[in-house]
Every structure is written in C-alpha cells, then in structure tokens.
Amino acid sequence: MGSHVSKTVADELAPMQIIDGKSVDAVSGERINVVCPSDGQVFASIPASGKADIDQAVGAARHAFDEGPWARMPAVERGRCLTRLGQLVEKHADELAALESRDTGKPVRQGKADVTATMRYYEFYGGAADKIHGDTIPFLDGYTALTMREPHGVVAGIIPWNYPLQILARVAGAALAMGNTLVIKPAEDASLTAIRIAELALEAGIPGGVFNVVTGYGREAGAALSAHPLVDYVTFTGSPPTGTAIQQAAAANNRGVTMELGGKSPQIVFADADIEAALPVLVNAIIQNGGQTCSAGSRILIEKPVYEQVASALSERFSGLVAGPHEADLDLGALINPAQKQRVEDFVAAAEEAGISVLARGRVHEDAPKGGYYHPPVLFGAVDPASALAQEEVFGPVLALFPFADEPDAVRLANDTDFGLVAGIWTRDGARQHRMAKRVRAGQVFVNGYGAGGGIELPFGGFKKSGHGREKGFEALYDMSATKTVVFNHG
Ligand code: ADP
C-alpha cells in the first residue's frame, strides 16, 4: 500500500489523472507514493483522489453520455476509435510493458504478454462495435416488434492491481464499443498504465469525458464511485469482500453490476492423461504472475494410480523455480505489496501447522533486492479438502495436490469449494472429456490445456462466489448494454 506524500516530494514520475479530457491533480493536492515491488523503493506518485474528484469525473462522463457525440456516433466510428487505441498500445508497447512490470513487479515477459492482450482487446472490441444487433419478434397481427441493444450510460470500472492493463482493456473495450462512457478507478498499487491508456484514448480520437481515470484509495475514491447516484452500471474485478461492499453500494441506487471475484480453480489429471504435456501447464497456471491471478490453477486433483508420479514430477519442477526482480525475467516476480506477502506467508504457515506436507519449495534469487516482496513457490500435498488451503484463495505461488479415486470423486472434489471460475481437465478419453466439462461448475473449462488469464475472445466469469456477469469475448457486449424492446402498432 502507498502512503500519502505532499506534492512537493519530487518523484521521477508524477502523472496526473485524466478527467474530462484533461490532466488534473487531486482536488486535495494529496498524492500516493508508488512503490516498485521488486525493491520496495518509491519511484513515482499518483493523485490521491476522493469524493470531490469522483464527482467531477462522473459529472464529465454523465455529460459526455447525455450531450456528447459518443453514444450517438455510428458504431463503426466508435469501433475505429478503439482500433486506433489498440494501434497506439502496439506503438507504445515497450514503454507500457516496462511501466506495468515496474509498477507490479511482474517479469518483463509477462508485462509484454499483457500489452499484447491489451492491444488485442481494443482491436477485438473495435471490430465488434458494429456487429451487435437486436431481433425482430413475431408478435400480434398489425404489430412489428423489435429489440435494440442500448448502452447503460455511465459505467464505473473498479480495477485490481494484478493485470491492470488487461483488465482495464476488457472493461473499457466492451463498455466503449457499446457507447457507454467510463469512469475508471485503478488500484492504488498499480495505476500508472491506466493513466497512460486514458491519454492514448484521447490521442485515438475518443472524445474528452468519455474515458476518465481517477486514482486513489479504494475506501475513498472506489467507495465514492460505486455509490455514486449518477453511475448507471458498475463492473468490478477483485476480492470477494470488496465485491460485496461494492454491490451493496450499487444496490443503494439499484444499479446493475458485473462481478469477477476470483477462484480456487482445479486442474484434474486422470491416469490416462498425457502427463508430460500437462506438467508445464500445471506449473505455469500457478506461477504466472506469482499466483496473483483470479483464474490461477491453485488445486491439482490427481487420479490415485498416477498421484506419486505427478507429485514427484511437480516437486522436481517446483524445486527449480526462482523468484526475482522483474528485469531479471525469472519464473516469477515479487508479490504486489507487503500485505500480500504476509497473507501468503500466513497461509503457508497455517498449512504447515495443520500438518500438511510441503513437497517442494522454490527459492528467491540470492541477488534479489532485500526490500522486494518475494515469496518462493510452495507445493503442498496431499491436502485435506476441508482445510483453508483447499478452500480459500491464497493469491500467491502456492499449489495444493489432492488424490482422487474415480470420476465421481473428481467431480465432487472439483466442485467442493465456494468458487467456480476455471477448470482444466486432462484425459485422453473423449467421452469423459465431455462428461467432465458438463459436470464441473466453472465459467471456463479447458480440456487438455489451461488458460490462466488468456483468451480475449473467450467469455469469462464465475459460478457461485466467483461472481456473476461475463467479461471478454462477444458476451461482454451484452453485459455492457441493455435490451430495449420497441413495438409498432401499424394496424
Ligand atoms: P486488495 O484487497 O488486494 O487491494 P481489492 O479487491 O480490495 O484487492 O481491490 C481491488 C480494487 O477495489 C482496487 O481498485 C481497490 O482500490 C478497490 N477497492 C477497495 N476497497 C473498495 C471499496 N470499499 N469500494 C470500492 N472500491 C474498493
């Protein structure tokens, strides 16, 4: 977490937020220190905004929606703006990737992958903008009935710190394609690329007031935004308790919400699987972004005849994993902040105290700066399915293994948490692939593969406590719009 600093503390990088097409500081003049997780050093600051700034930004977005050209612009023109934004992301790819990695501590190759996905989101939604349409409905004689998709109006997007560029892009791409205007509140731990994207949006021709970015703490700027009466729809990705608070705030105004609240996603390895093909995917699904991924594959269910084989192959791989600074581009970077590191340490300590065996542990690179927030990867097995480690999201590089007896047992274990975001199924048996895909309760199911965070074309969202609503792909355009039914009586 950052701390307040006065504006006079000279930082190397001190961008303003973007409200109504202009770069502006917080009304209070206060700023938040930005720390690089790789070394714990302050390298920038952002405005510490609150209710007054949110009022301005929502007012600008409201005006841009009600009076501006954006919502009435031909869809193809809105799409072209988004496509140009994607091209600008590509043009500034190195700058954005470096900024994202420094702000979040993620390895540079992950920062680059995030920029590629970001570019693709704007490209995808740029192309989709004029391809969504309504229906005509057979109705009574003498009538013509039709539906059209209309924007909600002002969309509030509250963005987490794990994939700031990508999650902003999936929200902004879909919302803007449908003609909404936006107020974005990025996470206080990772706001720098959001500010940069809002600047590039102006350069792409998106009118001022359409794409506003307000930085600040969740409990101040975030709370003011989610409760704002002039906001029409709220979309949030983050932790379940914060999601509950945001839904309660939005409920006071009876506003719609999209909630993406994380998971405890299983990968299920049957004895007939191509285990060699599965192993790197099983490891990557929990190591990517240091395990700070909503769709991290944090549980592996292994059929008993191959449990020892898979557990020992994973142990070997885990022992060789190394965490280090983002520039070093090792297996994983630092965690986002000291609180997150503490949370992971507490989970690991509690699991060890509960008698769960550590099968393997990676290491932190000897040369990693001492002030960085590193945690080595840890592999646990066999884990009690009722334990906290089996049930709760750690959001760190901690993997839990579980043996299972047969297919019904695998289904039961896979569905035995409050979450339901993603699942991976590894088997060569085609009929079983289909049965498992149907029975596992998850918003995305991968068969003989896994996609932690990828797939901009693929609808994504949760069952159960993982949330509701769908993002990504064409489906997100429905969440970011409402159906209007029009009935003509022409006799
Ligand atoms: P973490 O606890 O790891 O910071 P959160 O899910 O709380 O993760 O944060 C995700 C986003 O939600 C961030 O942009 C944060 O500022 C914002 N946020 C946190 N608390 C609130 C709140 N009470 N109301 C609105 N937004 C919030």
Side-chain angles (χ1 to χ4, degrees):
M1 262 328 126
S3 56
H4 277 78
V5 289
S6 90
K7 202 180 154 189
T8 51
V9 174
D11 295 310
E12 177 184 328
L13 192 60
M16 301 291 153
Q17 57 198 351
I18 306 291
I19 298 178
D20 207 11
K22 296 180 236 5
S23 288
V24 292
D25 209 346
V27 168
S28 66
E30 302 256 317
R31 296 186 70 86
I32 300 171
N33 276 337
V34 177
V35 172
C36 173
S38 299
D39 58 14
Q41 299 294 312
V42 174
F43 72 100
S45 72
I46 51 171
S49 286
K51 189 175 179 313
D53 311 80
I54 291 292
D55 281 344
Q56 285 182 7
V58 173
R62 183 82 263 162
H63 187 264
F65 183 79
D66 293 340
E67 313 293 338
W70 185 248
R72 280 180 290 280
M73 192 183 275
V76 65
E77 290 298 334
R78 278 201 306 271
R80 282 182 185 141
C81 289
L82 289 171
T83 303
R84 280 196 297 273
L85 178 53
Q87 288 161 350
L88 286 169
V89 168
E90 198 171 22
K91 182 173 160 196
H92 295 275
D94 291 344
E95 172 206 341
L96 287 165
L99 196 55
E100 190 83 322
S101 287
R102 193 170 185 197
D103 208 1
T104 60
K106 63 177 74 193
V108 286
R109 70 175 183 289
Q110 183 63 45
K112 286 180 183 165
D114 290 359
V115 170
T116 302
T118 298
M119 185 275 285
R120 283 282 296 123
Y121 275 117
Y122 292 118
E123 183 181 53
F124 179 90
Y125 287 114
D130 62 347
K131 291 167 193 69
I132 188 155
H133 48 71
D135 292 316
T136 55
I137 300 171
F139 192 49
L140 302 172
D141 188 34
Y143 290 83
T144 296
L146 55 87
T147 61
M148 47 181 88
R149 301 293 314 180
E150 300 238 326
H152 293 297
V154 176
V155 170
I158 299 175
I159 311 293
W161 43 258
N162 56 344
Y163 292 88
L165 272 170
Q166 281 206 55
I167 294 175
L168 170 58
R170 77 189 191 201
V171 166
L176 295 177
M178 294 311 297
N180 299 284
T181 60
L182 275 177
V183 179
I184 296 294
K185 209 300 281 175
E188 50 270 43
D189 281 312
S191 293
L192 294 174
T193 52
I195 295 172
R196 193 71 189 101
I197 292 290
E199 290 169 356
L200 294 177
L202 289 168
E203 201 179 322
I206 296 174
V210 171
F211 194 147
N212 304 279
V213 169
V214 181
T215 58
Y217 292 109
R219 61 179 181 272
E220 292 167 5
L225 181 57
S226 46
H228 205 290
L230 297 182
V231 163
D232 296 298
Y233 194 87
V234 182
T235 173
F236 170 73
T237 299
S239 62
T242 303
T244 303
I246 290 173
Q247 287 179 87
Q248 282 166 342
N253 301 316
N254 286 323
R255 296 305 192 238
V257 293
T258 297
M259 290 280 137
E260 200 270 85
L261 305 176
K264 193 74 195 177
S265 297
Q267 297 213 58
I268 306 161
V269 183
F270 286 91
D272 72 342
D274 182 345
I275 289 169
E276 280 310 305
L279 285 171
V281 180
L282 300 178
V283 173
N284 187 59
I286 189 66
I287 291 311
Q288 179 179 316
N289 222 45
Q292 303 167 119
T293 305
C294 312
S295 50
S298 53
R299 293 186 295 148
I300 301 189
L301 320 183
I302 306 164
E303 201 170 6
K304 279 180 182 159
V306 292
Y307 181 81
E308 290 305 330
Q309 179 195 345
V310 175
S312 88
L314 287 173
S315 300
E316 202 184 312
R317 285 168 188 253
F318 258 66
S319 314
L321 294 171
V322 187
H326 59 282
E327 311 96 311
D329 215 4
L330 303 175
D331 298 303
L332 63 161
L335 301 178
I336 190 74
N337 58 32
Q340 193 60 27
K341 183 179 173 202
Q342 187 65 50
R343 177 183 161 83
V344 176
E345 281 172 357
D346 290 349
F347 258 105
V348 169
E352 283 186 282
E353 260 165 49
I356 305 173
S357 314
V358 172
L359 299 182
R361 209 186 282 269
R363 67 186 169 90
V364 175
H365 197 279
E366 308 68 60
D367 298 335
K370 295 297 166 241
Y373 314 132
Y374 300 99
H375 195 287
V378 186
L379 180 68
F380 281 101
V383 176
D384 172 3
S387 64
L389 185 60
Q391 294 292 328
E392 293 172 29
E393 189 176 38
V394 178
F395 229 57
V398 180
L399 184 58
L401 307 187
F402 306 80
F404 68 84
D406 53 18
E407 200 177 305
D409 195 27
V411 172
R412 187 186 57 72
L413 273 175
N415 293 337
D416 181 33
T417 75
D418 284 341
F419 294 101
L421 194 58
V422 179
I425 294 160
W426 296 86
T427 175
R428 289 184 165 106
D429 179 336
R432 179 190 275 154
Q433 293 171 359
H434 285 265
R435 283 194 302 273
M436 290 298 294
K438 286 204 169 149
R439 286 177 194 161
V440 169
R441 298 269 291 158
Q444 280 189 341
V445 179
F446 291 88
V447 177
N448 293 332
Y450 196 83
I456 62 113
E457 308 87 345
L458 308 176
F460 176 72
F463 287 85
K464 303 193 278 183
K465 204 175 172 180
S466 290
H468 42 84
R470 291 293 176 264
E471 298 188 276
K472 303 190 180 187
F474 215 73
E475 193 112 359
L477 299 168
Y478 296 107
D479 264 38
M480 285 300 155
S481 59
T483 298
K484 179 185 276 179
T485 305
V486 184
V487 181
F488 298 90
N489 174 359
H490 41 66

